[in-house]
Amino acid sequence: PPRHSGELSSTQASTRLLAYSDALLSIIATVMILPVAHTKIHPDQKLGESIQQLLLMKIAVYLMTFLIVTVAWAAHIRLFQVIELIDDVLALLNLACMMLITFLPYTFSLMASFPGVPFGIFMFSTCAIVIGLIQAVIVAYGFYHPYLLNHQIQMSENQAFYKHHILQIILRGPVLCFLAAVFSFFFIPMSYVLLGLVIFLPHITRLIIWCKNKTGGPEEEEERHRLEAFTFYLNEPLSKERVEAFSDGVYAIVATLLILDICEDNVPDSKEVKDRFHDRLIEALSEYGPNFLAYFASFVTTGLLWFVHHSLFLYITKTTRFMGLLNTFSLAFIGGLPLGYQLTSEFAEKSHNEIEAIQVSCVITFFASIFQFAIWITALFHERETLHPLARYGGKEHAFMFAKLALYPCVSLGAFFLTCLLSKFSTAIFHIMQIVVPFAFLALRILVRISLAIMKSVLSLSRRKSVVLDEEETCLSPAETLS
Amino acid sequence: PPRHSGELSSTQASTRLLAYSDALLSIIATVMILPVAHTKIHPDQKLGESIQQLLLMKIAVYLMTFLIVTVAWAAHIRLFQVIELIDDVLALLNLACMMLITFLPYTFSLMASFPGVPFGIFMFSTCAIVIGLIQAVIVAYGFYHPYLLNHQIQMSENQAFYKHHILQIILRGPVLCFLAAVFSFFFIPMSYVLLGLVIFLPHITRLIIWCKNKTGGPEEEEERHRLEAFTFYLNEPLSKERVEAFSDGVYAIVATLLILDICEDNVPDSKEVKDRFHDRLIEALSEYGPNFLAYFASFVTTGLLWFVHHSLFLYITKTTRFMGLLNTFSLAFIGGLPLGYQLTSEFAEKSHNEIEAIQVSCVITFFASIFQFAIWITALFHERETLHPLARYGGKEHAFMFAKLALYPCVSLGAFFLTCLLSKFSTAIFHIMQIVVPFAFLALRILVRISLAIMKSVLSLSRRKSVVLDEEETCLSPAETLS
């Protein structure tokens, strides 16, 4: 509902606009996996070669899209941390921005198909520059109508400084893109380097600052102090709600994209049913059995990885930039799950490729889950700022959290090694394994409780012997135990 | 973050679970438009016939999916209005539920391809029954752990009654599906009637109650009184947040599905560029010009319809069931927009089909926007309960709201009549029209302000003459002015 119901009737809270933007951005980031998954591979071709030849380019397009969209998304978060209320003009400008971001995957497809032609780079740069300009207009509009701004900035004396800083964050990418567009006409490799910079620049600057602080910290203390309140507010924590919303979008689209393929490819032709199966539909459908199994297995995997993510973020109180980066990597692999589904369902009964398809699935699942695990480890290093007391070292939920996050890396690694050891390992077994995992979650809960109870009784026994020793043990920091 | 940090460490607020469910449900509801849009139509075929022959079945699948998913979604809202906190078990049960709902489109595809074979109906019914059973387990689990329940119910003495009531709501559909499955073996038409009932039963019962109240209201007053608090809480208002989340999902997926087609179909083949265009990429791309135009036009239309929806729901304070139904109809047509895109971009230069393609687009846009308008009219009839004071009759935003909502119905009707009158009307003109509309929104704002200012000055002139007359005018109820 409108906040200032009296005078400023046309201003609105930006919650829903941001939720809609997150949904758009997460879908765009993920949807480019479809061309990858739909790549037709001849059954007689060896999968190893095909992956190298056919898929590599499309996977590159997917990853570039994913990363550039997350960069745009991070800039969008910054922007709407400064501008807290919106009106119709800002809503329309934001939609224009979204339209151009939605178009970026196409420019990547062009670049991938014609890597030697400058037009693809030129088109991408133009889009990026226009996006930057629209966002600059949004900033200018926001500072021209200060009641739209974040309260802290609204009250501040250095409004001009804040404006300068946010414009710098927003226009950094477009300027690099402009250079890339210029270089594209006479030296294309340089353009690609510049485009790579757009993606990694925020993290590189972050790393440099971090290194500087480590080596010669106290020298710059003064300047840093001046910016502290601002840096704290605008640079460090990604808004937790928006990280969750973006992740939800990715998980949701991955979970549902699969049914599309099922609906388009696995409805038998009525003529074929008449001729080959004498009108027995169930027999015709039984041919698709492996596909259904693969579908349910993929949904279960996506759903449970969402569940782990959800459990993790319940106890995270602040998302640092590095955690955000790890989350992005995790999501990029989540987006790859449809590829795993496609491979395992396509090569269900072609022995050599079958094993390789399972291995690709395992690798994707492993990286998706290990990056989730890494978020948790990173959070533990600064647990006082980033974690809820219950999940900290020694907290009631700590052990269970650890078990939850470790489950998928272990399962996928285990499956991978099984494919190497057992020659009879098949997609069917793999999918059934995937479907059984949720019961492992419930079993885990019971297991952790039992082992905790045993540990407690052991501890209470030893406590009787020496109280001091026990206290030392509980105070052990997580950094020490984990390294 | 967990609510009861002390004793009940494993319970969690359900916000994110619901947001994720909404995302899944909205994508599933909308995604079935893709098989419709991807139907290949021979360019020499007349579109009129093709629509009847090829598309009708797929459109039916799309609409059935959309409606059944919204029914499942409404039941899901009811369920999680009763159960307010969740734990891991409930989260996993809910995911299982989602998995089966995601599978429903496939059963519809089977039914549409083999309408005379009972297996499709049987499969659908099985899914629906299992969904019902899982939801019943969720209810049982919730009432077994009362701290998970809604506070009002938790405190109430009639918990058993509430449990009975919510189970009745949830199991109504599955029971009908069970009957449909039984009938499917000896009298299939009856099964389809029963499945239709599943979709419309909530609205039919609602209508019957409404009619009863109109004809012989006061007789049942006593029994109604007893249920009042409950009915008020659980039966009437759909949660506004969830209506918004679901709508956002539909708008977002529709806006982004389009780029997929562009990326898969409109990247020129590198061989063709070499042979036909002598390595001039821009020339090759200019062939796809109409597609790009169609893409941007569709995105603008989807984005602006979201914008109108967003503006409307800013001022809506309560969503009644009837408004929810109208919203569903509006969203079903929004989901049809990719079809309009596909038709207008495919028949860009084939004169006869071109006009028909534009007309289909206009019809879809018209219905999508007129149902939005209907939500507004419905809200006005009970404006004290459903609308923010600013948007009520006489409020500051009332006139502008009206203009915003009326814009798209007018534009699409206008475009439709132009296709009948002008023989030279083309898709290019139509798309440019669509792209220009946002500027109309900004112009509208100015126009409404000017006309309000004129009206005010006229009114203040007449007020000098007679104050009493003026007051009567402002008190006029919207129902009277509109009828």
Side-chain angles (χ1 to χ4, degrees):
Chain A
R3 276 212 207 163
H4 306 274
S5 54
E7 334 113 272
L8 306 165
S9 56
S10 52
T11 41
Q12 311 136 10
S14 56
T15 335
R16 197 178 157 194
L17 181 84
L18 299 184
Y20 184 62
S21 306
D22 285 343
L24 280 178
L25 290 170
S26 57
I27 295 174
I28 274 302
T30 325
V31 100
M32 289 311 294
I33 197 68
L34 271 193
V36 181
H38 286 172
T39 308
K40 283 278 162 277
I41 298 166
H42 291 286
D44 48 336
Q45 230 173 340
K46 264 187 74 183
L47 186 56
E49 289 168 29
S50 321
I51 283 186
Q52 285 175 1
Q53 291 165 5
L54 270 162
L55 296 180
L56 214 60
M57 192 187 74
K58 289 186 179 179
I59 290 177
V61 173
Y62 162 69
L63 282 179
M64 278 166 79
T65 310
F66 197 95
L67 290 174
I68 204 81
V69 169
T70 49
V71 168
W73 170 72
H76 195 264
I77 292 184
R78 298 274 164 282
L79 182 59
F80 283 93
Q81 276 174 339
V82 173
I83 294 167
E84 283 200 339
L85 296 176
I86 57 160
D87 62 5
D88 284 358
V89 178
L90 285 184
L92 289 175
L93 284 173
N94 184 58
L95 282 179
C97 215
M98 287 297 137
M99 184 168 77
L100 287 168
I101 291 176
T102 314
F103 195 66
L104 290 182
Y106 180 72
T107 64
F108 283 124
S109 306
L110 269 190
M111 275 191 240
S113 303
F114 304 93
V117 181
F119 189 70
I121 302 168
F122 185 76
M123 212 167 166
F124 169 77
S125 304
T126 314
C127 281
I129 291 166
V130 176
I131 292 169
L133 289 179
I134 295 175
Q135 291 189 333
V137 170
I138 292 178
V139 170
Y141 186 89
F143 277 86
Y144 187 74
H145 302 272
Y147 55 85
L148 298 172
L149 295 178
N150 166 263
H151 197 71
Q152 195 184 329
I153 295 176
Q154 207 173 313
M155 293 296 123
S156 155
E157 292 169 2
N158 306 11
Q159 264 194 26
F161 168 75
Y162 288 132
K163 188 176 169 182
H164 179 76
H165 188 89
I166 188 78
L167 275 177
Q168 200 185 327
I169 290 174
I170 282 165
L171 292 178
R172 201 160 49 185
V175 167
L176 282 175
C177 286
F178 179 73
L179 289 178
V182 171
F183 271 105
S184 72
F185 289 108
F186 49 94
F187 188 56
I188 290 179
M190 189 64 199
S191 300
Y192 285 112
V193 171
L194 285 169
L195 291 187
L197 259 185
V198 175
I199 293 173
F200 292 107
L201 192 71
H203 304 296
I204 292 171
T205 49
R206 192 92 206 125
L207 196 73
I208 292 170
I209 292 172
W210 186 79
C211 288
K212 263 190 188 167
N213 285 351
K214 281 273 161 179
T215 53
E219 300 163 36
E220 307 164 83
E221 197 63 40
E222 229 167 276
E223 212 219 355
R224 272 183 63 227
H225 201 73
R226 191 185 135 222
L227 295 181
E228 198 151 26
F230 180 67
T231 317
F232 169 73
Y233 195 81
L234 287 181
N235 252 351
E236 188 51 68
L238 292 167
S239 148
K240 195 193 151 206
E241 286 72 37
R242 294 200 64 184
V243 172
E244 289 182 354
F246 185 77
S247 310
D248 281 354
V250 172
Y251 283 101
I253 190 88
V254 167
T256 43
L257 276 181
L258 302 173
I259 196 67
L260 251 188
D261 291 325
I262 292 267
C263 284
E264 291 208 32
D265 303 338
N266 299 337
V267 176
D269 191 55
S270 54
K271 256 186 203 164
E272 211 193 312
V273 172
K274 211 172 228 168
D275 299 345
R276 264 186 63 200
F277 300 97
H278 313 288
D279 271 335
R280 272 167 298 186
L281 183 59
I282 302 174
E283 237 167 75
L285 286 178
S286 64
E287 283 222 327
Y288 297 125
N291 294 67
F292 298 141
L293 198 62
Y295 168 69
F296 283 115
S298 295
F299 192 98
V300 166
T301 307
T302 320
L304 286 185
L305 284 169
W306 175 83
F307 175 69
V308 171
H309 190 271
H310 168 251
S311 305
L312 177 60
F313 273 75
L314 264 180
Y315 293 108
I316 284 178
T317 48
K318 197 182 102 177
T319 327
T320 64
R321 251 200 194 191
F322 186 61
M323 282 156 76
L325 185 66
L326 290 172
N327 190 45
T328 303
F329 287 146
S330 170
L331 290 178
F333 282 98
I334 295 286
L337 284 175
L339 175 65
Y341 157 77
Q342 204 71 27
L343 290 178
T344 48
S345 72
E346 202 149 309
F347 297 109
E349 266 145 63
K350 287 137 205 161
S351 65
H352 189 75
N353 284 344
E354 191 180 357
I355 295 290
E356 285 194 340
I358 298 173
Q359 288 176 340
V360 170
S361 272
C362 287
V363 168
I364 294 173
T365 316
F366 176 75
F367 278 106
S369 54
I370 203 75
F371 278 117
Q372 289 185 335
F373 193 78
I375 299 174
W376 164 247
I377 300 295
T378 317
L380 277 179
F381 273 100
H382 308 274
E383 59 171 7
R384 282 188 190 284
E385 295 156 37
T386 55
L387 281 181
H388 190 272
L390 278 174
R392 289 184 200 158
Y393 185 74
K396 218 177 168 185
E397 290 288 309
H398 180 84
F400 187 53
M401 206 60 238
F402 184 88
K404 256 183 190 173
L405 282 159
L407 185 64
Y408 259 107
C410 293
V411 167
S412 51
L413 262 191
F416 190 89
F417 284 119
L418 278 182
T419 57
C420 300
L421 296 175
L422 294 176
S423 55
K424 285 207 170 175
F425 199 77
S426 73
T427 46
I429 302 176
F430 177 63
H431 293 317
I432 291 169
M433 253 181 88
Q434 286 184 305
I435 293 175
V436 167
V437 173
F439 301 101
F441 267 97
L442 294 176
L444 211 66
R445 176 124 228 146
I446 299 163
L447 216 81
V448 168
R449 282 216 179 133
I450 293 171
S451 56
L452 277 181
I454 293 172
M455 263 177 67
K456 249 189 192 167
S457 61
V458 170
L459 279 175
S460 64
L461 274 176
S462 64
R463 191 177 291 168
R464 278 180 210 167
K465 289 176 191 167
S466 70
V467 182
V468 186
L469 197 89
D470 184 42
E471 271 181 9
E472 262 181 18
E473 208 170 331
T474 27
C475 292
L476 213 66
S477 87
E480 284 170 58
T481 13
L482 287 164
S483 58
Chain B
R3 275 212 206 163
H4 306 274
S5 53
E7 333 114 271
L8 306 166
S9 57
S10 53
T11 41
Q12 311 136 11
S14 56
T15 335
R16 196 177 158 196
L17 182 83
L18 299 183
Y20 184 63
S21 306
D22 284 343
L24 280 177
L25 290 170
S26 57
I27 295 173
I28 274 302
T30 325
V31 100
M32 289 311 295
I33 197 67
L34 271 192
V36 180
H38 286 172
T39 307
K40 284 277 161 278
I41 298 166
H42 291 284
D44 49 334
Q45 230 173 340
K46 265 188 72 182
L47 186 55
E49 289 168 29
S50 321
I51 284 186
Q52 286 174 0
Q53 292 164 4
L54 270 163
L55 296 181
L56 213 60
M57 191 185 76
K58 289 185 178 180
I59 291 178
V61 173
Y62 162 68
L63 282 179
M64 276 166 79
T65 310
F66 197 94
L67 290 174
I68 204 80
V69 169
T70 49
V71 168
W73 171 71
H76 194 264
I77 292 185
R78 297 274 164 283
L79 182 58
F80 283 93
Q81 276 175 339
V82 173
I83 295 167
E84 284 200 339
L85 296 176
I86 57 160
D87 62 7
D88 285 358
V89 177
L90 285 184
L92 289 175
L93 284 173
N94 183 57
L95 281 178
C97 215
M98 287 298 137
M99 183 167 79
L100 288 168
I101 292 176
T102 314
F103 195 66
L104 290 181
Y106 180 72
T107 64
F108 283 124
S109 307
L110 270 189
M111 275 192 240
S113 303
F114 304 92
V117 181
F119 189 70
I121 303 169
F122 185 76
M123 214 168 165
F124 168 78
S125 304
T126 313
C127 283
I129 292 166
V130 175
I131 293 169
L133 290 179
I134 294 176
Q135 291 188 333
V137 171
I138 292 178
V139 170
Y141 186 89
F143 277 86
Y144 187 74
H145 302 273
Y147 55 85
L148 298 171
L149 294 179
N150 167 262
H151 197 71
Q152 197 183 329
I153 295 177
Q154 206 173 314
M155 294 294 124
S156 155
E157 291 169 3
N158 307 12
Q159 265 193 27
F161 169 74
Y162 288 132
K163 188 176 168 183
H164 179 76
H165 189 89
I166 188 77
L167 276 178
Q168 200 185 329
I169 291 175
I170 282 165
L171 293 178
R172 201 162 46 185
V175 167
L176 282 174
C177 286
F178 178 74
L179 289 178
V182 171
F183 271 105
S184 71
F185 289 108
F186 49 92
F187 189 56
I188 290 179
M190 188 63 201
S191 300
Y192 285 112
V193 171
L194 285 169
L195 291 186
L197 257 185
V198 175
I199 294 172
F200 293 107
L201 191 70
H203 304 296
I204 292 171
T205 48
R206 191 96 206 123
L207 195 74
I208 291 170
I209 291 172
W210 187 78
C211 289
K212 263 190 187 167
N213 285 352
K214 281 272 163 181
T215 53
E219 300 163 36
E220 307 164 84
E221 198 63 40
E222 229 166 275
E223 211 218 356
R224 272 183 63 230
H225 202 73
R226 191 186 135 221
L227 294 183
E228 199 149 26
F230 180 67
T231 317
F232 169 72
Y233 194 80
L234 288 181
N235 253 352
E236 188 51 69
L238 291 167
S239 150
K240 194 192 152 209
E241 285 73 37
R242 294 202 62 184
V243 172
E244 289 182 353
F246 185 77
S247 310
D248 281 354
V250 172
Y251 283 101
I253 189 89
V254 167
T256 43
L257 276 181
L258 302 173
I259 197 66
L260 250 188
D261 291 326
I262 292 265
C263 284
E264 292 208 32
D265 303 339
N266 297 339
V267 177
D269 191 54
S270 53
K271 256 186 205 164
E272 210 192 312
V273 173
K274 210 171 230 168
D275 299 345
R276 264 185 64 199
F277 299 99
H278 312 289
D279 271 335
R280 273 167 298 187
L281 183 59
I282 302 173
E283 236 168 76
L285 286 178
S286 65
E287 283 222 327
Y288 297 124
N291 293 67
F292 298 141
L293 198 64
Y295 169 68
F296 284 116
S298 294
F299 193 98
V300 166
T301 307
T302 320
L304 286 185
L305 284 170
W306 175 83
F307 175 70
V308 171
H309 191 270
H310 168 250
S311 306
L312 176 60
F313 273 75
L314 264 181
Y315 293 109
I316 285 180
T317 48
K318 198 181 102 177
T319 327
T320 64
R321 250 201 195 191
F322 187 63
M323 283 156 77
L325 185 66
L326 290 173
N327 190 45
T328 303
F329 287 146
S330 170
L331 290 178
F333 281 99
I334 294 286
L337 283 175
L339 176 65
Y341 158 76
Q342 204 71 26
L343 291 178
T344 48
S345 72
E346 202 148 312
F347 298 108
E349 265 143 66
K350 286 137 205 163
S351 66
H352 188 75
N353 284 345
E354 191 180 358
I355 295 289
E356 284 194 340
I358 297 173
Q359 288 177 340
V360 171
S361 271
C362 288
V363 169
I364 293 174
T365 317
F366 176 75
F367 278 106
S369 55
I370 204 74
F371 278 117
Q372 289 184 333
F373 193 79
I375 298 174
W376 164 247
I377 300 295
T378 317
L380 277 179
F381 273 100
H382 308 275
E383 57 171 8
R384 284 190 188 282
E385 294 157 38
T386 55
L387 280 180
H388 189 272
L390 279 173
R392 289 184 200 158
Y393 187 75
K396 219 177 169 184
E397 289 289 309
H398 180 85
F400 187 53
M401 206 60 239
F402 184 87
K404 255 183 190 173
L405 282 159
L407 185 64
Y408 260 107
C410 293
V411 168
S412 50
L413 261 190
F416 189 90
F417 284 119
L418 279 180
T419 57
C420 301
L421 296 175
L422 294 175
S423 55
K424 284 207 172 177
F425 199 78
S426 73
T427 45
I429 302 177
F430 176 64
H431 292 317
I432 290 169
M433 252 182 88
Q434 285 185 305
I435 292 175
V436 167
V437 173
F439 301 100
F441 268 98
L442 295 176
L444 210 67
R445 175 124 229 147
I446 299 162
L447 215 82
V448 169
R449 282 216 181 132
I450 293 172
S451 57
L452 276 182
I454 294 171
M455 263 178 66
K456 249 188 193 167
S457 62
V458 170
L459 279 176
S460 66
L461 274 176
S462 66
R463 191 177 292 167
R464 280 182 208 165
K465 291 178 190 167
S466 69
V467 182
V468 187
L469 197 86
D470 184 42
E471 272 183 8
E472 263 180 13
E473 208 171 331
T474 27
C475 292
L476 211 66
S477 87
E480 284 171 57
T481 14
L482 287 164
S483 58

